[in-house]
Each structure stands twice: as structure tokens, then as C-alpha cells.
Amino acid sequence: MSKQTSPAIGAEQRIAPEGAALVTGPVTLINSFEVEPARDAAFRALWGETSRYFIARPGFVSLRLHRAVNDDAPYRWVNVAVWESEAAFRAAHGTAEFRTLVTAPGWSEFPSRPVLFEVDTEVG
Amino acid sequence: MSKQTSPAIGAEQRIAPEGAALVTGPVTLINSFEVEPARDAAFRALWGETSRYFIARPGFVSLRLHRAVNDDAPYRWVNVAVWESEAAFRAAHGTAEFRTLVTAPGWSEFPSRPVLFEVDTEVG
């Protein structure tokens, strides 16, 4: 099968939308990626490269990259990343290096849906 | 505004789909809920009641309930819950008590998308 060229995905589409006011406490990014099972290795390599950038930014706390157990999940890979504050999160997404990374040609085949959250309840 | 009656959502639609084989190590449920901002309190009360059931089941490890910072997110509430094994997770979803809880009339206005994951990468 020949691979179709995907439409370009801008850097803005790789940034979680803002709320009415900036969150001062910790925030959690839940970023869901569309990846065909056959393209897992390509996604994983690209994601690893991009995540190295984020891990080194001020205010980064932790991340967990998840892979769905069922291959027909609409978003098979999901990254859950905690940041100290929304300001730190936004700063990491406002650099030229971020834009260069997420507009790399390889990313166009992996649409994502980044959403920023606050933790309401924590147990265990 | 009068509220429309939503179609019934079966207990099956509240259970994350299975993969080709059962995962023996830890699994993470990421369950995304559609909730209108005006209905946050109703959702929160119902979710609290249902989560008490899960927290008491064998193999439950932890949960974090997240609320999106932007009101127009397609799924404004997301629960990330860790279980010791997929067997424990499935057992908790196979009881009569589970069916009774998730088919309670209040739940019909909050569609959800439960997906089960394994952790691929953990940092921090």
C-alpha cells in the first residue's frame, strides 16, 4: 500500500487550548495520538525525540506514555504529563525549538488531541 | 431550556474494550466523560458514588479525576485509574453491582469513552 500524504498540522494544533484564566497550581496534559499499529515504531521514535525537549524544560514534573490494549482504539497512544504550573507548560510550548520539533514532517501522520487539566480528585 | 431525554447507555459501553490477550501486569484505564459545564456538580456526585465501588475492589491501585481547563473540550472530565492487573480490572466490571451503578438513570446524560492501556514509558 502506498502511503497518502497527510495535510500539514500546524504547531498551534499541538498546543492544548487555554481556559478563561491561567491555572497557578499543577496542571496535567493528556495528549491523545492517532497511530496505526503498523506505525508504532515510527511514532515511538518521534515521540521520544520530542519528549526529550519537554523533560528538560523548567516546571516539567513527570510523564507516562500509554499504549492501548485494543488496536481499534481511536487514540492508541496517550501521554499524561504533569507540570508545576500552566505558566511553565505554556512557556515550553512558546519556543522556536518547540515549533521546529512538532512541525517536523514525520509528525503529520500522527494527529493529536492535547487537552490541559487540573486534578479534581486523587486516591491512592 | 428543557432537557432532552438521552438514549440509554448499556453497561457494556461503560467497559473498556479488550485486546487480543489479557495483560498480566498493571493496566491504566483512561475514561473520558462528556459533561456540560452546568452539569459538573451532578456528574461529580454520580462519579463519586461509582468510584467508591471501584476503590474498594481487589487490585485497585489509584485514580486521578481531571477537569479540563477549557470549557469547550470534547471530554471535559477524564479519570486515569491504575489497576494491578487486567484480570482484577475485568473482575470489578463483571459484577451485578457494577451493572446497577452504571445503568443508574443519572448516567445517561454523561456518555463516556473508557480505554485500557499499558504504560510504555514513565519519567519523573
Side-chain angles (χ1 to χ4, degrees):
Chain A
M1 272 193 311
S2 72
K3 192 157 180 320
Q4 280 195 302
T5 305
S6 307
I9 298 175
E12 314 67 40
Q13 290 160 270
R14 301 296 185 178
I15 304 175
E18 295 178 21
L22 213 67
V23 176
T24 50
V27 289
T28 301
L29 169 72
I30 302 184
N31 199 357
S32 306
F33 297 90
E34 292 179 37
V35 181
E36 290 296 321
R39 300 296 292 155
D40 274 358
F43 167 77
R44 193 58 196 70
L46 204 54
W47 182 88
E49 200 179 310
T50 307
S51 70
R52 273 196 293 279
Y53 164 77
F54 285 111
I55 291 165
R57 295 282 79 70
F60 170 86
V61 176
S62 67
L63 66 78
R64 281 185 191 178
L65 178 65
H66 304 79
R67 190 185 56 248
V69 304
N70 60 315
D71 280 354
D72 58 349
Y75 294 91
R76 294 184 49 255
W77 290 79
V78 177
N79 179 30
V80 178
V82 178
W83 289 78
E84 274 175 18
S85 69
E86 186 171 355
F89 173 83
R90 298 289 170 203
H93 289 75
T95 67
E97 190 175 353
F98 165 76
R99 298 188 74 87
T100 302
L101 280 167
V102 299
T103 56
W107 269 117
S108 60
E109 70 167 296
F110 305 120
S112 59
R113 194 180 63 188
V115 182
L116 197 65
F117 294 85
E118 289 183 87
V119 172
D120 173 272
T121 305
E122 188 164 359
V123 177
Chain B
M1 270 193 315
S2 70
K3 195 160 175 318
Q4 280 194 304
T5 306
S6 307
I9 299 174
E12 313 69 39
Q13 291 160 270
R14 300 296 185 178
I15 304 176
E18 295 178 19
L22 212 66
V23 176
T24 50
V27 289
T28 300
L29 169 72
I30 301 183
N31 200 356
S32 307
F33 297 91
E34 291 180 38
V35 181
E36 290 296 322
R39 300 296 291 155
D40 274 358
F43 166 78
R44 194 59 196 67
L46 204 54
W47 182 88
E49 202 179 308
T50 306
S51 70
R52 273 195 293 279
Y53 163 77
F54 285 112
I55 291 165
R57 295 283 79 71
F60 170 86
V61 176
S62 68
L63 67 77
R64 280 185 190 178
L65 178 65
H66 304 78
R67 190 185 57 250
V69 303
N70 58 316
D71 281 353
D72 58 348
Y75 295 90
R76 293 185 49 256
W77 290 80
V78 177
N79 179 30
V80 178
V82 178
W83 289 78
E84 274 174 19
S85 69
E86 187 171 355
F89 173 83
R90 298 289 170 203
H93 289 75
T95 68
E97 190 175 352
F98 166 75
R99 296 188 76 85
T100 301
L101 279 167
V102 298
T103 56
W107 270 116
S108 61
E109 70 167 298
F110 305 119
S112 59
R113 193 180 64 188
V115 182
L116 197 65
F117 293 85
E118 290 182 87
V119 172
D120 173 272
T121 305
E122 189 165 359
V123 177

